[in-house]
């Protein structure tokens, strides 16, 4: 087992142990919020303490330890810390100190509630206020789900503090795996029965995230800013920090999420990956109806895995056809399928030199009606750079073989690349998974932009028009016939030989029987 797999196994084991401790009292969705919320609490506690300690050690105060300071002494650092970190935590409210006294504190639940509110309130009135507001709303330390009495609830909270405190998260931050993303994905898998409730069917596996990110940064070592209009817990955005380095996303990470709980998890995720409050802007609203980043677009890199075939107002809202994001196509995405609306939104907010990579439901590539008219607009204006057919069963909660649409506003040729990557996977238990070799091969086909038998085809946009703007990869990339070729003449010859041999054997058997009689 390599280091990456070993780290993952250790992380999963730790989460599984916490699950066993809480089993029966907290269901999967709520459990996930508690685990990730307490991970966040531990992380920001260590983050601010490490920051203050490093400053003191640098000036020769080597014995200094913020956790041992009195709250009164610490108060003088509040303004500086809010300015530098966006928040402040008193020593008595640090994770390590709350955990130390947790078992003997009958008011543990009240202390935690007060601490969470104090952390949020420390950012009030500061530039970081929006990034901290409501972050702990989903972690209800007084919930009956934790226990029927205060004492029982506190028992669970002690177990949570101890389990999270024992996790080796400090090592993970700078290591090969994405600890938070992996925890999120693992928790989704553990509670598959809650997939619909948790939105797990839209969670993007990290390998797909990497492919989407790399498609948007071919030939680039940095981008101005990245954006995801349906950002979920932020895993797609954070791939840029991992691949390019967060300092090479110059103006930061932008996203919008309609689900309040997932929106909170996304902001927590940003902090857990050491993205400073000034470097991210995650909004909570309906992207299609109330986009929140008008002042920030255009974006040089856009990645997204929007919800498939979700309903929206569409033509029922007379204002939408005049919205500058949707009006260029002259028609709105159908009310039953908002997929094309997300694509038009992303295109509108894409920089002239930018690239967008969007996971798409396959139906939008061949259905007629409004979707066909929007495909016509995209092809005639030469905005579609590439369509990639992915394998089936890649995504948690759905076995559908999805596709990736790559959009560009500045193309040099009047054609579209279509790639059949449906066989680029390895089977892992019940799911398919992209390996690094699969990702590299798809990227090579994307960059080379050449015809490759059974894998890739560069198709003139006029030819796509002749096919009624059908963009299904199978329409243009021929499938390899892997059936065994049979020579019928040779087969007949072999049958004749078998029949003749059978006649000889019968004759010999009859002779033996005659002799025995």
């Amino acid at each position: 087992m390599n280091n990456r797999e070993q780290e993952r196994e250790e992380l999963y084991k730790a989460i599984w142990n916490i699950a066993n401790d809480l089993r029966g009292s907290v269901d999967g969705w709520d459990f996930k919020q508690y685990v990730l919320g307490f991970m966040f609490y531990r992380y920001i506690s260590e983050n601010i303490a490490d920051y203050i300690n490093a400053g003191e050690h640098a000036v020769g105060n080597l014995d200094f330890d913020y956790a041992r300071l009195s709250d009164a002494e610490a108060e003088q650092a509040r303004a500086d810390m809010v300015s530098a970190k966006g928040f402040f935590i008193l020593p008595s409210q640090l994770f390590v100190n709350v955990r130390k006294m947790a078992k003997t504190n009958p008011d543990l639940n009240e202390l935690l509630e007060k601490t969470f509110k104090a952390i949020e309130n420390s950012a009030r009135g500061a530039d970081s206020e929006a990034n901290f507001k409501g972050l702990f709303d989903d972690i209800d330390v007084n919930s009956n789900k934790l226990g029927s009495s205060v004492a029982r609830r506190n028992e669970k909270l002690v177990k949570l503090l101890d389990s999270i405190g024992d996790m080796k998260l400090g090592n993970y931050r700078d290591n090969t795996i994405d600890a938070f993303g992996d925890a999120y994905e693992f928790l989704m898998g553990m509670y598959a029965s809650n997939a619909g409730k948790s939105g797990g069917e839209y969670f993007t596996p990290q390998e797909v995230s990497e492919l989407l990110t790399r498609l948007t940064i071919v030939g680039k070592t940095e981008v101005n800013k990245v954006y995801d209009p349906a950002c979920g817990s932020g895993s797609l955005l954070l791939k840029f920090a991992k691949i390019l380095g967060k300092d090479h996303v110059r103006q930061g990470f932008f996203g919008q999420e309609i689900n309040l709980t997932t929106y909170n998890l996304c902001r927590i995720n940003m902090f857990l990956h050491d993205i400073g409050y000034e470097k991210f802007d995650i909004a909570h609203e309906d992207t299609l109806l109330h986009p929140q980043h008008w002042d920030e677009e255009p974006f040089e890199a856009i990645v997204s895995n929007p919800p498939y075939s979700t309903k929206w107002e569409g033509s029922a809202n007379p204002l939408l056809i005049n919205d500058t994001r949707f009006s260029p196509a002259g028609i709105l995405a159908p009310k039953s399928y908002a997929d094309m609306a997300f694509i038009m939104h992303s295109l509108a907010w894409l920089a002239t030199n930018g690239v967008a990579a969007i996971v798409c439901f396959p139906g939008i590539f061949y259905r007629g009606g409004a979707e066909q008219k929007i495909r016509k607009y995209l092809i005639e204006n030469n905005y579609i750079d590439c369509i990639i057919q992915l394998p089936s069963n890649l995504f948690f909660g759905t076995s559908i073989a999805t596709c990736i649409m790559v959009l560009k506003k500045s193309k040099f040729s009047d054609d579209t690349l279509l790639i059949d990557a449906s066989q680029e996977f390895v089977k892992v238990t019940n799911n398919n998974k992209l390996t690094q070799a699969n990702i590299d091969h798809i990227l090579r086909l994307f960059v080379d932009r050449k015809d490759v038998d059974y894998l890739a085809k560069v198709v003139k946009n006029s030819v796509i028009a002749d096919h009624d703007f059908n963009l299904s990869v199978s329409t243009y990339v021929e499938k390899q016939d892997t059936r065994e070729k049979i020579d019928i003449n040779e087969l007949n010859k072999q049958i004749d030989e078998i029949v003749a041999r059978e006649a000889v054997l019968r004759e010999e058997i009859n002779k033996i029987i005659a002799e025995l009689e």
Side-chain angles (χ1 to χ4, degrees), residues 38 52 62 64 79 94 108 115-116 155 195-196 217 220 250 267 274 296 299 306 346 356 407 489 498 502:
F38 274 71
I52 294 170
L62 300 180
F64 182 86
L94 291 172
L108 176 63
T115 297
F116 295 160
E155 276 177 34
I217 58 171
K220 295 179 179 177
R250 296 190 305 274
R267 292 185 295 159
D274 206 25
E296 300 293 344
F299 298 94
S346 296
L407 298 170
N489 293 323
I498 291 167
E502 185 184 17

mmCIF file of all heavy atoms in Angstrom, residues 38 52 62 64 79 94 108 115-116 155 195-196 217 220 250 267 274 296 299 306 346 356 407 489 498 502:
data_model
loop_
_atom_site.group_PDB
_atom_site.id
_atom_site.type_symbol
_atom_site.label_atom_id
_atom_site.label_comp_id
_atom_site.label_asym_id
_atom_site.label_seq_id
_atom_site.Cartn_x
_atom_site.Cartn_y
_atom_site.Cartn_z
ATOM 1 N N PHE A 38 -16.569 19.983 13.905
ATOM 2 C CA PHE A 38 -15.552 19.879 14.958
ATOM 3 C C PHE A 38 -14.142 19.822 14.369
ATOM 4 O O PHE A 38 -13.188 20.309 14.990
ATOM 5 C CB PHE A 38 -15.831 18.658 15.846
ATOM 6 C CG PHE A 38 -16.786 18.947 16.964
ATOM 7 C CD1 PHE A 38 -18.143 19.159 16.720
ATOM 8 C CD2 PHE A 38 -16.345 19.045 18.272
ATOM 9 C CE1 PHE A 38 -19.030 19.439 17.744
ATOM 10 C CE2 PHE A 38 -17.221 19.334 19.319
ATOM 11 C CZ PHE A 38 -18.573 19.540 19.049
ATOM 12 N N ILE A 52 0.160 32.840 16.059
ATOM 13 C CA ILE A 52 0.627 33.717 17.146
ATOM 14 C C ILE A 52 1.947 33.199 17.722
ATOM 15 O O ILE A 52 2.891 33.967 17.960
ATOM 16 C CB ILE A 52 -0.449 33.837 18.248
ATOM 17 C CG1 ILE A 52 -1.695 34.560 17.693
ATOM 18 C CG2 ILE A 52 0.088 34.590 19.467
ATOM 19 C CD1 ILE A 52 -2.901 34.532 18.615
ATOM 20 N N LEU A 62 10.900 31.938 22.853
ATOM 21 C CA LEU A 62 10.771 30.541 22.459
ATOM 22 C C LEU A 62 9.849 29.731 23.363
ATOM 23 O O LEU A 62 9.349 28.676 22.949
ATOM 24 C CB LEU A 62 12.159 29.885 22.400
ATOM 25 C CG LEU A 62 13.148 30.531 21.417
ATOM 26 C CD1 LEU A 62 14.482 29.797 21.446
ATOM 27 C CD2 LEU A 62 12.579 30.542 19.992
ATOM 28 N N PHE A 64 7.006 30.770 24.537
ATOM 29 C CA PHE A 64 5.640 31.281 24.443
ATOM 30 C C PHE A 64 4.688 30.211 23.911
ATOM 31 O O PHE A 64 4.990 29.505 22.951
ATOM 32 C CB PHE A 64 5.598 32.505 23.516
ATOM 33 C CG PHE A 64 4.226 33.125 23.400
ATOM 34 C CD1 PHE A 64 3.800 34.068 24.318
ATOM 35 C CD2 PHE A 64 3.360 32.751 22.377
ATOM 36 C CE1 PHE A 64 2.532 34.629 24.228
ATOM 37 C CE2 PHE A 64 2.095 33.308 22.269
ATOM 38 C CZ PHE A 64 1.683 34.259 23.206
ATOM 39 N N ALA A 79 -7.589 42.687 17.725
ATOM 40 C CA ALA A 79 -7.721 43.506 16.507
ATOM 41 C C ALA A 79 -6.746 43.054 15.426
ATOM 42 O O ALA A 79 -7.116 42.935 14.241
ATOM 43 C CB ALA A 79 -7.499 44.979 16.845
ATOM 44 N N LEU A 94 -9.968 27.711 22.889
ATOM 45 C CA LEU A 94 -9.249 26.887 21.915
ATOM 46 C C LEU A 94 -9.672 25.425 22.057
ATOM 47 O O LEU A 94 -9.925 24.936 23.158
ATOM 48 C CB LEU A 94 -7.737 26.987 22.123
ATOM 49 C CG LEU A 94 -7.068 28.317 21.781
ATOM 50 C CD1 LEU A 94 -5.608 28.300 22.239
ATOM 51 C CD2 LEU A 94 -7.144 28.624 20.285
ATOM 52 N N LEU A 108 -20.445 21.624 29.395
ATOM 53 C CA LEU A 108 -19.670 21.551 28.142
ATOM 54 C C LEU A 108 -20.473 22.049 26.944
ATOM 55 O O LEU A 108 -19.965 22.800 26.109
ATOM 56 C CB LEU A 108 -19.209 20.106 27.893
ATOM 57 C CG LEU A 108 -18.473 19.850 26.572
ATOM 58 C CD1 LEU A 108 -17.174 20.643 26.513
ATOM 59 C CD2 LEU A 108 -18.190 18.354 26.383
ATOM 60 N N THR A 115 -18.650 29.346 22.629
ATOM 61 C CA THR A 115 -17.401 29.450 21.864
ATOM 62 C C THR A 115 -17.682 29.646 20.380
ATOM 63 O O THR A 115 -17.092 30.510 19.732
ATOM 64 C CB THR A 115 -16.546 28.178 22.073
ATOM 65 O OG1 THR A 115 -16.179 28.097 23.458
ATOM 66 C CG2 THR A 115 -15.294 28.206 21.220
ATOM 67 N N PHE A 116 -18.602 28.836 19.846
ATOM 68 C CA PHE A 116 -18.928 28.946 18.417
ATOM 69 C C PHE A 116 -19.488 30.334 18.089
ATOM 70 O O PHE A 116 -19.140 30.927 17.064
ATOM 71 C CB PHE A 116 -19.923 27.854 18.006
ATOM 72 C CG PHE A 116 -19.380 26.453 18.108
ATOM 73 C CD1 PHE A 116 -20.240 25.359 18.168
ATOM 74 C CD2 PHE A 116 -18.010 26.214 18.132
ATOM 75 C CE1 PHE A 116 -19.745 24.062 18.266
ATOM 76 C CE2 PHE A 116 -17.504 24.912 18.213
ATOM 77 C CZ PHE A 116 -18.374 23.832 18.289
ATOM 78 N N GLU A 155 -21.689 13.595 26.971
ATOM 79 C CA GLU A 155 -20.891 12.379 26.742
ATOM 80 C C GLU A 155 -20.514 12.258 25.271
ATOM 81 O O GLU A 155 -19.375 11.940 24.928
ATOM 82 C CB GLU A 155 -21.703 11.137 27.155
ATOM 83 C CG GLU A 155 -21.642 10.799 28.631
ATOM 84 C CD GLU A 155 -22.531 9.597 28.943
ATOM 85 O OE1 GLU A 155 -22.633 8.701 28.078
ATOM 86 O OE2 GLU A 155 -23.117 9.570 30.034
ATOM 87 N N ALA A 195 -28.296 9.627 0.394
ATOM 88 C CA ALA A 195 -27.723 10.358 -0.746
ATOM 89 C C ALA A 195 -28.642 11.464 -1.239
ATOM 90 O O ALA A 195 -28.206 12.581 -1.481
ATOM 91 C CB ALA A 195 -27.421 9.391 -1.893
ATOM 92 N N GLY A 196 -29.949 11.139 -1.383
ATOM 93 C CA GLY A 196 -30.858 12.158 -1.897
ATOM 94 C C GLY A 196 -30.960 13.345 -0.970
ATOM 95 O O GLY A 196 -30.951 14.481 -1.394
ATOM 96 N N ILE A 217 -6.599 24.461 -17.404
ATOM 97 C CA ILE A 217 -5.316 25.169 -17.194
ATOM 98 C C ILE A 217 -4.212 24.677 -18.123
ATOM 99 O O ILE A 217 -3.034 24.909 -17.847
ATOM 100 C CB ILE A 217 -4.849 25.053 -15.727
ATOM 101 C CG1 ILE A 217 -4.696 23.591 -15.304
ATOM 102 C CG2 ILE A 217 -5.789 25.803 -14.803
ATOM 103 C CD1 ILE A 217 -4.032 23.414 -13.948
ATOM 104 N N LYS A 220 -1.046 26.758 -18.793
ATOM 105 C CA LYS A 220 -1.013 27.876 -17.835
ATOM 106 C C LYS A 220 -0.379 27.440 -16.517
ATOM 107 O O LYS A 220 -0.542 26.296 -16.094
ATOM 108 C CB LYS A 220 -2.431 28.390 -17.553
ATOM 109 C CG LYS A 220 -3.110 29.022 -18.767
ATOM 110 C CD LYS A 220 -4.508 29.490 -18.417
ATOM 111 C CE LYS A 220 -5.175 30.143 -19.631
ATOM 112 N NZ LYS A 220 -6.554 30.560 -19.356
ATOM 113 N N ARG A 250 -4.620 34.049 -8.526
ATOM 114 C CA ARG A 250 -4.226 35.365 -8.016
ATOM 115 C C ARG A 250 -5.321 36.084 -7.227
ATOM 116 O O ARG A 250 -5.079 36.627 -6.162
ATOM 117 C CB ARG A 250 -3.761 36.251 -9.183
ATOM 118 C CG ARG A 250 -2.504 35.755 -9.891
ATOM 119 C CD ARG A 250 -1.971 36.795 -10.864
ATOM 120 N NE ARG A 250 -2.953 37.228 -11.822
ATOM 121 C CZ ARG A 250 -3.217 36.616 -12.981
ATOM 122 N NH1 ARG A 250 -2.566 35.511 -13.312
ATOM 123 N NH2 ARG A 250 -4.118 37.090 -13.805
ATOM 124 N N ARG A 267 -17.598 26.851 2.915
ATOM 125 C CA ARG A 267 -16.774 27.887 3.561
ATOM 126 C C ARG A 267 -15.810 27.262 4.565
ATOM 127 O O ARG A 267 -14.635 27.648 4.652
ATOM 128 C CB ARG A 267 -17.677 28.923 4.234
ATOM 129 C CG ARG A 267 -18.470 29.763 3.228
ATOM 130 C CD ARG A 267 -19.260 30.846 3.928
ATOM 131 N NE ARG A 267 -20.289 30.285 4.802
ATOM 132 C CZ ARG A 267 -20.838 30.943 5.820
ATOM 133 N NH1 ARG A 267 -20.446 32.177 6.102
ATOM 134 N NH2 ARG A 267 -21.772 30.383 6.560
ATOM 135 N N ASP A 274 -6.605 26.222 4.275
ATOM 136 C CA ASP A 274 -5.746 27.383 4.533
ATOM 137 C C ASP A 274 -5.891 28.472 3.475
ATOM 138 O O ASP A 274 -4.934 29.153 3.120
ATOM 139 C CB ASP A 274 -4.275 26.943 4.653
ATOM 140 C CG ASP A 274 -3.475 27.915 5.516
ATOM 141 O OD1 ASP A 274 -4.100 28.587 6.356
ATOM 142 O OD2 ASP A 274 -2.249 28.013 5.338
ATOM 143 N N GLU A 296 -17.640 40.473 -10.116
ATOM 144 C CA GLU A 296 -16.381 39.726 -10.166
ATOM 145 C C GLU A 296 -16.078 39.131 -11.541
ATOM 146 O O GLU A 296 -14.929 38.897 -11.879
ATOM 147 C CB GLU A 296 -16.398 38.578 -9.133
ATOM 148 C CG GLU A 296 -16.579 39.042 -7.704
ATOM 149 C CD GLU A 296 -15.398 39.847 -7.191
ATOM 150 O OE1 GLU A 296 -14.315 39.805 -7.802
ATOM 151 O OE2 GLU A 296 -15.569 40.550 -6.169
ATOM 152 N N PHE A 299 -14.345 35.216 -15.427
ATOM 153 C CA PHE A 299 -13.428 34.288 -14.771
ATOM 154 C C PHE A 299 -12.595 33.537 -15.805
ATOM 155 O O PHE A 299 -13.110 33.102 -16.823
ATOM 156 C CB PHE A 299 -14.223 33.291 -13.931
ATOM 157 C CG PHE A 299 -15.015 33.935 -12.827
ATOM 158 C CD1 PHE A 299 -16.351 34.285 -13.021
ATOM 159 C CD2 PHE A 299 -14.427 34.209 -11.604
ATOM 160 C CE1 PHE A 299 -17.088 34.893 -12.010
ATOM 161 C CE2 PHE A 299 -15.159 34.824 -10.581
ATOM 162 C CZ PHE A 299 -16.483 35.169 -10.790
ATOM 163 N N PRO A 306 -22.936 20.764 -12.226
ATOM 164 C CA PRO A 306 -24.253 21.242 -11.782
ATOM 165 C C PRO A 306 -25.251 20.093 -11.676
ATOM 166 O O PRO A 306 -25.031 19.020 -12.257
ATOM 167 C CB PRO A 306 -24.659 22.237 -12.881
ATOM 168 C CG PRO A 306 -23.881 21.820 -14.083
ATOM 169 C CD PRO A 306 -22.614 21.216 -13.585
ATOM 170 N N SER A 346 -22.399 29.931 -17.358
ATOM 171 C CA SER A 346 -20.938 29.793 -17.299
ATOM 172 C C SER A 346 -20.273 30.480 -18.488
ATOM 173 O O SER A 346 -19.256 31.160 -18.332
ATOM 174 C CB SER A 346 -20.550 28.305 -17.270
ATOM 175 O OG SER A 346 -21.031 27.689 -16.091
ATOM 176 N N ALA A 356 -13.872 26.831 -19.653
ATOM 177 C CA ALA A 356 -14.832 26.248 -18.723
ATOM 178 C C ALA A 356 -14.945 24.764 -19.006
ATOM 179 O O ALA A 356 -15.006 24.351 -20.176
ATOM 180 C CB ALA A 356 -16.200 26.918 -18.873
ATOM 181 N N LEU A 407 -15.733 24.690 -22.864
ATOM 182 C CA LEU A 407 -16.095 25.923 -23.574
ATOM 183 C C LEU A 407 -14.906 26.870 -23.655
ATOM 184 O O LEU A 407 -14.130 26.992 -22.703
ATOM 185 C CB LEU A 407 -17.231 26.642 -22.841
ATOM 186 C CG LEU A 407 -18.575 25.921 -22.706
ATOM 187 C CD1 LEU A 407 -19.473 26.688 -21.740
ATOM 188 C CD2 LEU A 407 -19.250 25.774 -24.057
ATOM 189 N N ASN A 489 -16.133 -20.306 -43.938
ATOM 190 C CA ASN A 489 -15.669 -21.462 -44.735
ATOM 191 C C ASN A 489 -14.818 -22.395 -43.884
ATOM 192 O O ASN A 489 -14.959 -23.623 -43.945
ATOM 193 C CB ASN A 489 -14.869 -20.986 -45.957
ATOM 194 C CG ASN A 489 -15.759 -20.237 -46.940
ATOM 195 O OD1 ASN A 489 -16.924 -20.606 -47.123
ATOM 196 N ND2 ASN A 489 -15.221 -19.200 -47.576
ATOM 197 N N ILE A 498 -15.410 -32.909 -38.127
ATOM 198 C CA ILE A 498 -15.962 -33.452 -36.880
ATOM 199 C C ILE A 498 -17.012 -34.520 -37.185
ATOM 200 O O ILE A 498 -17.042 -35.591 -36.564
ATOM 201 C CB ILE A 498 -16.562 -32.317 -36.015
ATOM 202 C CG1 ILE A 498 -15.448 -31.418 -35.477
ATOM 203 C CG2 ILE A 498 -17.376 -32.878 -34.845
ATOM 204 C CD1 ILE A 498 -15.933 -30.118 -34.874
ATOM 205 N N GLU A 502 -16.831 -38.395 -36.297
ATOM 206 C CA GLU A 502 -17.885 -38.996 -35.498
ATOM 207 C C GLU A 502 -18.378 -40.303 -36.122
ATOM 208 O O GLU A 502 -18.616 -41.303 -35.434
ATOM 209 C CB GLU A 502 -19.057 -37.996 -35.376
ATOM 210 C CG GLU A 502 -20.164 -38.485 -34.458
ATOM 211 C CD GLU A 502 -21.349 -37.530 -34.429
ATOM 212 O OE1 GLU A 502 -21.461 -36.686 -35.336
ATOM 213 O OE2 GLU A 502 -22.151 -37.650 -33.495
#
